[in-house]
Amino acid sequence: MSTPGSTRISPRAGQSTSATDLVDVSGLVTAYSTLRPDPSVPAQRVGFGTSGHRGSSFERSFNEWHVVAISQAICDYRRRSGIDGPLYTGIDTHALSVPAFENALEVMAANGVDVLIARDGEYTPTPAVSHAILGYNRGRHSGLADGVVITPSHNPPDSGGFKYNPANGGPADTEVTGWIESRANALLDRGLREVRRMPFARARRAASTREHDFLGSYVTDLASVIDLDVIRGSGIRMGVDPLGGAGVHYWTRIAELYNIDLTVISDKVDPTFGFMTLDWDGRIRMDPSSVYAMQRLIAVKDRYDVAFACDTDHDRHGIVTPGDGLVPANHYLAVAIDYLFTHRPQWNAHAAVGKTVVSSAIIDRVTTRLNRKLYEVPVGFKWFVDGLLDGSIGFAGEESAGAAFLRRDGTVWTTDKDGIVPALLSAEIIARTGHDPGALYRNLTHQLGEPATDRVEAPASALQKRNLAQLSPAQIHISELGGEPIERVLDRAPGNDAPIGGIKVVCANGWFAARPSGTEDIYKIYAESFHGEGALRKILVDAQSIVDAAIAATG
């Protein structure tokens, strides 16, 4: 069992990779095509978490059979739901993404689906797919488009992933993913006998397979969401590290089209991601919110007024300033919210601020000061989709550095996370205010209080995770948290009354939330206090005792 604050940091965290850290790409791809999953093993079945199905071919949790089954299940879902417009398809730079794309196209083409793929084999960020879906569907009531993104996000190089975005452009909700998951597993159980498929070369030549200029369409529309004129006029020096991800060629086009001083640190694409520095656990992970993974950009921070990075599918952001280095994700979310709701006069006066239950309470305080509604939901960006689509949510953010917000005129931009626009927003903020996000966050804390935060992770079995997910307020028998009276105990999110899959305990100046991971055999405790580190440690002790009791029945 973990003790509070004891998440173990590898002694190699933040260091350069060595040859032994790099994935065997040839072996990984071979395993993808040759190893079959055993459907009787739960870990080898299709499972949609908060961001699609993810796994590794080495572990038989992401391989050709999974992709083929998921692709057929999506085709079946489209027929069942009357979705008969084009399916926009994007891929990132992970080694398994190209073979997964080829297998997916073999199935989609055989099913007669009109598939739009990137021009010239370009990689495609998640937000560019969402943007394309929404652009096509605008004003339509039939023949609607949807999309898939083949990516495991920021996960290690041996990972693969497959996400489905329906006609609303955002991550599919649990009803949709549940149906697709069930159908895909049924196909696996029956040995893929019901799958329609054709050879890739034939699928690529099919009349139903066409190219789409994701890059051009997305980049030329950026001025509708970011004030690029004020950035250009300010002369701000910007640096960007694409981390070898799907947006690697987008940044140069942005710099050229809008004539801004934006330098691409590196445009190298390498499926081993050997240019990264090691993350907190000594693994390679393209996480722009991790100070350990972001060492390459932090090392050159003094060359720029602001610098930023995005993860592999470019749906997460990381902001680096000369004075602060990497600005913590929650800090930047608070600054972005405070700026946007005071610099977007065309937004709906009633547009809410969206956050997850494990995001910082500084966002709550900023929202109250703005006299805006707070829309607090469980972890998962799918909960924000409808509000972004109709403009009732102006900004939606996750503690893991995922965010999206409306166009300058108050209409929808994307309904999935977009790492590119929050990154560029940091330059707009400096141009407009004369201060960088780190300095603006300190100003917020002077006015609203400064939270101390921590997150603890510990191993947990499937049964232990289930016990924690089912924890109810009635099982919480303490009346104080960190020395303060408990005000609320939540197992459902205040914004939409959806189950949070765990528990959140709140007092006036602190809180903790405990929930099992959706993708790993661990649980997580998030905690925060506005009374400093000492009070934070007390909250973590209380939180740990509650979690221990919740999973004690497993022994």
Side-chain angles (χ1 to χ4, degrees):
M1 186 57 62
S2 169
T3 55
S6 66
T7 301
R8 183 172 295 177
I9 305 299
S10 167
R12 297 187 61 217
Q15 296 183 14
S16 299
T17 60
S18 65
T20 57
D21 298 313
L22 305 184
V23 67
D24 174 5
V25 172
S26 176
L28 183 73
V29 174
T30 298
Y32 169 86
S33 60
T34 59
L35 298 182
R36 295 184 178 182
D38 181 349
S40 68
V41 178
Q44 296 181 30
R45 293 176 70 79
V46 172
F48 275 76
T50 54
S51 294
H53 174 77
R54 296 179 184 177
S56 173
S57 60
F58 287 144
E59 299 170 0
R60 300 178 190 245
S61 53
F62 186 91
N63 58 30
E64 183 174 335
W65 274 52
H66 294 107
V67 170
V68 168
I70 293 169
S71 300
Q72 183 64 55
I74 289 173
C75 292
D76 296 342
Y77 174 79
R78 295 180 98 241
R79 275 191 293 270
R80 176 178 182 268
S81 304
I83 301 172
D84 55 3
L87 184 141
Y88 290 89
T89 303
I91 65 171
D92 77 358
T93 56
H94 276 79
L96 294 181
S97 293
V98 169
F101 159 73
E102 293 178 354
N103 294 149
L105 186 61
E106 291 169 353
V107 174
M108 302 289 185
N111 280 269
V113 174
D114 289 328
V115 180
L116 293 181
I117 63 176
R119 181 178 294 175
D120 301 323
E122 182 62 69
Y123 303 110
T124 308
T126 287
V129 173
S130 179
H131 178 268
I133 294 169
L134 294 174
Y136 183 87
N137 289 341
R138 189 172 295 117
R140 295 176 184 268
H141 300 286
S142 62
L144 298 178
D146 55 0
V148 299
V149 190
I150 300 171
T151 173
S153 188
H154 62 290
N155 282 19
D158 66 349
S159 303
F162 204 107
K163 301 194 299 183
Y164 175 64
N165 287 34
N168 60 23
D173 64 27
T174 50
E175 181 178 352
V176 175
T177 57
W179 193 95
I180 293 171
E181 177 183 310
S182 178
R183 174 61 175 153
N185 282 319
L187 292 167
L188 287 179
D189 290 336
R190 293 193 280 272
L192 304 183
R193 288 192 300 273
E194 300 166 56
V195 171
R196 300 175 186 174
R197 189 174 178 183
M198 65 173 62
F200 175 70
R202 183 176 157 204
R204 184 64 184 82
R205 293 193 305 268
S208 57
T209 302
R210 305 190 308 277
E211 291 191 345
H212 175 73
D213 186 10
F214 287 98
L215 191 159
S217 298
Y218 178 91
V219 171
T220 56
D221 203 17
L222 274 173
S224 72
V225 66
I226 298 293
D227 190 343
L228 288 148
D229 290 336
V230 76
I231 294 174
R232 178 173 58 254
S234 69
I236 289 173
R237 295 167 299 133
M238 295 164 283
V240 59
D241 190 343
L243 300 182
V248 64
H249 299 138
Y250 280 56
W251 296 103
T252 298
R253 183 76 67 86
I254 292 169
E256 292 173 347
L257 182 62
Y258 295 104
N259 192 26
I260 55 178
D261 189 353
L262 175 61
T263 300
V264 179
I265 306 299
S266 173
D267 61 0
K268 182 177 182 180
V269 174
D270 172 10
T272 71
F273 294 91
F275 50 77
M276 293 294 300
T277 48
L278 299 173
D279 203 6
W280 65 273
D281 57 355
R283 298 190 69 188
I284 299 173
R285 192 176 286 109
M286 290 62 69
D287 183 355
S289 67
S290 166
V291 68
Y292 305 107
M294 286 278 279
Q295 286 298 303
R296 180 167 76 171
L297 188 56
I298 293 171
V300 297
K301 63 183 176 61
D302 293 331
R303 299 180 190 174
Y304 308 101
D305 298 307
V306 67
F308 29 80
C310 292
D311 67 337
T312 324
D313 69 322
H314 271 49
D315 71 347
R316 301 187 189 207
H317 61 273
I319 309 300
V320 173
T321 66
D324 292 83
L326 180 64
V327 178
N330 274 308
H331 296 195
Y332 183 61
L333 293 181
V335 169
I337 290 165
D338 191 57
Y339 173 82
L340 284 166
F341 282 90
T342 53
H343 289 80
R344 293 295 188 265
Q346 291 182 270
W347 283 12
N348 186 331
H350 302 290
V353 174
K355 60 163 277 193
T356 57
V357 293
V358 295
S359 300
S360 175
I362 190 73
I363 293 172
D364 304 44
R365 298 185 178 195
V366 168
T367 302
T368 298
R369 190 176 70 169
L370 290 166
N371 197 28
R372 293 281 179 165
K373 177 185 176 182
L374 184 70
Y375 185 70
E376 186 174 2
V377 299
V379 172
F381 212 76
K382 61 192 175 189
W383 304 110
F384 300 124
V385 172
D386 290 343
L388 288 168
L389 195 59
D390 66 15
S392 62
I393 295 176
F395 179 98
E398 294 183 322
E399 79 295 334
S400 54
F405 48 90
L406 301 177
R407 295 172 188 261
R408 294 159 67 187
D409 67 2
T411 60
V412 63
W413 168 249
T414 62
T415 48
D416 210 331
K417 297 189 293 288
D418 187 335
I420 296 173
V421 294
L424 290 170
L425 181 69
S426 66
E428 181 189 328
I429 289 172
I430 297 172
R432 285 281 185 205
T433 69
H435 302 286
D436 70 38
L440 290 172
Y441 180 76
R442 285 189 292 277
N443 185 51
L444 286 178
T445 61
H446 289 325
Q447 301 170 31
L448 303 174
E450 182 173 3
T453 63
D454 199 2
R455 189 177 85 176
V456 178
E457 298 179 352
S461 68
L463 182 56
Q464 289 174 325
K465 288 169 61 178
R466 188 159 59 248
N467 283 355
L468 178 56
Q470 295 172 352
L471 189 62
S472 72
Q475 295 171 265
I476 307 301
H477 301 299
I478 63 172
S479 59
E480 291 189 347
L481 180 64
E484 282 194 299
I486 291 175
E487 295 183 347
R488 292 180 296 162
V489 180
L490 307 171
D491 62 351
R492 306 183 78 86
N496 60 357
D497 198 40
I500 63 177
I503 205 80
K504 183 174 183 178
V505 180
V506 183
C507 59
N509 292 286
W511 60 273
F512 83 83
R515 58 182 296 272
S517 169
T519 56
E520 301 175 85
D521 290 328
I522 60 174
Y523 68 82
K524 302 177 183 180
I525 296 176
Y526 304 79
E528 185 170 71
S529 174
F530 282 83
H531 284 167
E533 286 289 335
L536 176 64
R537 295 303 128 196
K538 291 179 182 178
I539 289 175
L540 281 165
V541 168
D542 291 342
Q544 194 73 62
S545 66
I546 290 171
V547 173
D548 287 348
I551 65 177
T554 67

